Amino acid sequence: SGIMSVNGKKVLHMDRNPYYGGESSSITPLEELYKRFNLPDTPPESMGRGRDWNVDLIPKFLMANDLMGMFEKRRFRKFLVFVANFDENDPKTFEGVDPKATTMRDVYKKFDLGQDVIDFTGHALALYRTDDYLDVPCLETINRIKLYSESLARYGKSPYLYPLYGLGELPQGFARLSAIYGGTYMLNKPVDEIVMENGKVVGVKSEGEVARCKQLICDPSYVPDRVRKVGQVIRVICILSHPIKYTNDTNSCQIIIPQNQVNRNSDIYVCMISYAHNVAAQGKYIAIVSTTVETSEPEREIEPVLELLEPIDQKFVAISDLYEPTDDGTESQVFASRSYDATTHFETTCNDIKDIYKRMTGSDFDFENMKRKQNDVFGEDEQ
């Protein structure tokens, strides 16, 4: 809604929930989280004040770990220096690598990197979810690692950003952006029917009224007949009274366990934040474990990671279906998003948004068009 409002579209944003963010909201107070997961008890006194908690249902960091043990390894250091200096427009920086032909597997071989370092680089730095990237030309991977390094350089300890008071702040920020540009937001607004004429969307019916529209964007839960199930994700929210071991007692971290290290087809993610981010009571930590479900016993799949978090004061387990749209929306003008996956970063979500934008407008999303208006608080372009 933010992007479309800035682009001059007339936007009405309806949400059946009484809060912003839908699936990706932050739940407060803590009592509400206990209710949501149907726990019979209320939080014990040791959890502190309920309103001090803002617990993300879907954990994500924004790309903006103490890696030095690995960075100091000479071969890996040489590889990182090569990546930092690499410029696709300057063949002098290629060092014999052809960015459009040399595979990433061959680049790793050139620097004689071991399997553990390869797993770490591909999955924790470049954020790939499979190893398919190894056998395609290396340019995209090199650019992904550059993004990580440049983000790390910008913010010092971590390349990731996270909003105080939880991720639920992000959808509220986009709602404000939409409102500045004339968008209307309606919470607690049930969607009774999507009105179609001749195979095209013409409006949305709610409480006896129809809001007419030419295009509709929604998550899969609003259009069950236009999406298909493609898998499941397990997420386990764990409340701790201690930082995760082996993390230098840090008050936030992201742990990515590459698939090869645990004999799986998909990585396991751990995102930890704490009282330092105004999302938990003093001295408390929230660790959220997530992965793509691969067996009929999802909880057993993440057992080795839960052991890493022990002792756990309280855990909340959610298994969610993953959906994707069955068509691209060009006929019906109904554009369904994909469900949030197991990753703890926003890359796949951003790709989905850019893909929907292209299908709706016929052109690629260009950040520069948004940037020009960043000083513009009142929705009036500076001439």
Side-chain angles (χ1 to χ4, degrees):
S1 60
I3 290 169
M4 289 303 176
S5 298
V6 172
N7 276 354
K9 296 268 194 279
K10 195 173 176 188
V11 174
L12 169 64
H13 192 139
M14 294 164 65
D15 195 326
R16 63 166 85 88
N17 298 301
Y19 49 81
Y20 292 97
E23 260 194 303
S24 60
S25 60
S26 305
I27 300 299
T28 186
L30 188 58
E31 290 77 2
E32 193 59 39
L33 189 70
Y34 273 62
K35 258 193 255 168
R36 192 181 180 102
F37 282 85
N38 300 317
L39 296 190
D41 309 318
T42 52
E45 294 217 339
S46 61
M47 295 286 189
R49 288 188 314 181
R51 65 176 182 276
D52 286 345
W53 295 80
N54 285 285
V55 182
D56 299 331
L57 293 179
I58 292 178
K60 301 268 182 191
F61 284 123
L62 285 160
M63 178 71 91
N65 33 335
D66 184 1
L67 307 175
M68 286 315 294
M70 300 189 72
F71 276 47
E72 280 154 8
K73 293 184 176 168
R74 276 185 53 212
R75 289 191 299 253
F76 190 46
R77 180 174 223 124
K78 272 173 75 174
F79 168 71
L80 288 176
V81 169
F82 161 74
V83 168
N85 292 332
F86 191 91
D87 176 353
E88 60 185 289
N89 300 313
D90 181 1
K92 287 201 288 289
T93 65
F94 291 2
E95 293 186 27
V97 169
D98 180 343
K100 297 200 167 72
T102 311
T103 65
M104 202 59 210
R105 193 184 295 279
D106 288 338
V107 174
Y108 287 146
K109 254 193 215 134
K110 173 184 165 72
F111 289 91
D112 200 18
L113 300 183
Q115 189 58 48
D116 284 356
V117 177
I118 290 172
D119 285 347
F120 168 78
T121 304
H123 292 258
L125 299 192
L127 301 180
Y128 283 111
R129 293 180 295 157
T130 70
D131 283 342
D132 297 349
Y133 79 96
L134 287 169
D135 297 307
V136 297
C138 60
L139 180 60
E140 189 193 346
T141 304
I142 288 173
N143 283 335
R144 281 170 170 240
I145 300 167
K146 276 172 90 79
L147 172 66
Y148 188 97
S149 306
E150 285 160 10
S151 301
L152 190 60
R154 178 171 295 188
Y155 294 107
K157 284 185 174 175
S158 166
Y160 290 100
L161 300 171
Y162 180 85
L164 293 178
Y165 301 102
L167 290 176
E169 293 296 300
L170 289 180
Q172 291 187 55
F174 285 117
R176 286 193 286 273
L177 176 67
S178 177
I180 284 169
Y181 285 90
T184 304
Y185 227 94
M186 297 176 92
L187 294 177
N188 237 337
K189 194 73 178 142
V191 172
D192 302 327
E193 185 193 340
I194 291 167
V195 185
M196 309 291 290
E197 279 176 19
N198 304 322
K200 264 196 168 51
V201 67
V202 292
V204 176
K205 191 172 187 182
S206 173
E207 300 174 308
E209 294 178 304
V210 174
R212 298 188 73 77
C213 67
K214 293 177 182 162
Q215 293 182 306
L216 177 72
I217 312 168
C218 59
D219 75 39
S221 66
Y222 289 93
V223 283
D225 55 329
R226 293 179 178 275
V227 293
R228 61 172 159 257
K229 182 176 164 182
V230 288
Q232 286 187 309
V233 172
I234 179 169
R235 295 185 182 91
V236 182
I237 300 169
C238 303
I239 293 179
L240 317 175
S241 296
H242 58 88
I244 298 173
K245 43 183 174 276
Y246 317 122
T247 61
N248 247 346
D249 289 351
T250 184
N251 58 28
S252 70
C253 67
Q254 175 175 235
I255 301 170
I256 299 178
I257 299 164
Q259 56 198 50
N260 294 336
Q261 309 278 324
V262 277
N263 295 321
R264 289 173 51 78
N265 299 321
S266 32
D267 300 345
I268 301 177
Y269 300 87
V270 185
C271 153
M272 187 195 76
I273 54 233
S274 65
Y275 60 95
H277 307 89
N278 301 355
V279 294
Q282 187 63 31
K284 297 289 183 184
Y285 300 77
I286 301 167
I288 307 179
V289 182
S290 54
T291 193
T292 305
V293 173
E294 295 181 4
T295 69
S296 54
E297 297 179 274
E299 279 197 70
R300 287 196 58 184
E301 298 181 41
I302 54 167
E303 259 173 19
V305 182
L306 293 179
E307 283 166 20
L308 181 70
L309 305 181
E310 291 289 354
I312 297 170
D313 298 350
Q314 180 65 55
K315 65 178 189 192
F316 307 86
V317 181
I319 295 167
S320 313
D321 290 339
L322 283 176
Y323 294 99
E324 65 177 24
T326 49
D327 67 284
D328 67 4
T330 46
E331 289 285 308
S332 62
Q333 293 293 295
V334 175
F335 302 91
S337 61
R338 294 164 177 267
S339 305
Y340 289 105
D341 62 21
T343 60
T344 44
H345 49 77
F346 274 103
E347 187 187 33
T348 48
T349 305
C350 289
N351 288 343
D352 191 27
I353 291 166
K354 288 191 283 192
D355 185 45
I356 290 173
Y357 181 88
K358 183 163 189 174
R359 283 182 275 136
M360 288 182 73
T361 64
S363 56
D364 287 321
F365 177 65
D366 181 3
F367 247 117
E368 291 305 312
N369 291 339
M370 300 286 286
K371 268 191 191 164
R372 253 178 257 138
K373 300 176 181 167
Q374 66 188 7
N375 301 326
D376 162 23
V377 181
F378 303 106
E380 295 170 3
D381 298 343
E382 288 181 23
Q383 295 305 319

